[in-house]
Amino acid sequence: MKKEILIRFGEIFLKGKNRGFFEKTLISNIRENLKSYNVQIAKIPGRYVVKNYSEDDEFEIIERLKKIPGIFSFSVAYCVPTSMEEIEKASLDLMDGLSGTFKVQTNRADKQTLSLNSMQISAEIGGKILQKYSQNLKVDIKTPQIVLNIDIRENKETYLYEKVIFGVGGMPVGTSSTGLLLLSGGIDSPVAGYMMAKRGVKVSAVHFHSYPYTSNFAREKVEKLAKIISAYTGNMTIYMVSMTELQEQINAKCNSSYMITLLRRGMFTVAERLCKKFGKKMIITGESLGQVASQTIESMTVVSNVVKSTPIIRPLVAFDKCETIDIAKKIGTFNTSIEPFEDCCTVFLPENPIVKPDLQKTLKEQSKIDFDAIIDRAMESIEVVEINHD
């Protein structure tokens, strides 16, 4: 028997005439993720198959497949030619040494090769298993401990497997345009990047720092977070931008309660300029409504006002913190996010930041500094860091 990995995709089934684009993007992403493993990836009707891989690499391949958006589920399966004789032999081999209750479940995509229908095949194979292993195995159709799946495909091959491993789901990265993530060192923004990659967005990032008020440890933490989520997003570009001058000017000349509001207006101005310069179609943030002072609807409205033509996407806007933490733990960013290194929003932090800023008052405070010239110089400070997921 050949051992292969049978991959199923989810939402792509909903696509019409452009389905081929989504399928080609997904198989390209799978190939990119598995390029280190000398495997063959084939397309069969309704499935992808990973073939000819080393048993020593199986665990690592499985871990990578779990993180590829667009994959609904997959199974390590044994592949045999479609015939009742071959299916029976493979089934008996797979059930050898197992004990408990079981059932056989058949999916018959190929309805031509075998004369029996799905229920008849399941009954036939289940009877053979029970006949040979009756001392260790008992049939339980409703709540079996073991489910032997028989997937009969149109390529005249049949796949037998016990376990189904679930993937990220969603859409393949690269099928829903491009976005620029405001990536801090906190819990929320890496989760926001993951959520948008799951919807097919190719994610790049911008990180704002206030060196020398913030240390290189903060930068290293952000690069570490980007490395973790790049397993889901693919290779990622980070634009490192200094906000030091803007914060110093706000601190020296403006009402201190407007520090965060004006700083975030600067961040969003830089983000939109980066989007236009590098062809990104949206700004992505980890904001959650009402979570902190800068995330009230009034604050988000005043800050968003500075963005003229680029959509701002907030995938976590209705999440509570516990929901975000659960996802952060699932994708592996949580422990890094809680490491105690500062970000630029903690520099010159006012005791009483304004919670419901007024736009006209904000513009009056902003007029006290040469906002546009400072942003121009911030754009000149950009460093580009490339994060590879391998």
Side-chain angles (χ1 to χ4, degrees), residues 258 302 305 357-367:
Y258 279 82
V302 168
N305 170 266
D358 174 79
L359 178 58
Q360 294 308 313
K361 291 180 180 178
T362 301
L363 292 174
K364 182 179 179 180
E365 292 300 320
Q366 185 174 305
S367 69

Side-chain angles (χ1 to χ4, degrees), residues 306-336:
V306 80
V307 177
K308 303 306 180 186
S309 60
T310 306
I312 301 172
I313 307 298
R314 298 176 170 95
L316 309 184
V317 71
F319 281 34
D320 66 32
K321 198 68 173 184
C322 291
E323 291 172 311
T324 303
I325 287 171
D326 286 345
I327 297 174
K329 288 178 177 178
K330 182 179 78 171
I331 66 176
T333 57
F334 179 74
N335 288 337
T336 300

Side-chain angles (χ1 to χ4, degrees), residues 170-187:
M171 303 302 299
V173 169
T175 58
S176 297
S177 195
T178 57
L180 184 69
L181 171 68
L182 274 61
L183 181 61
S184 72
I187 295 170

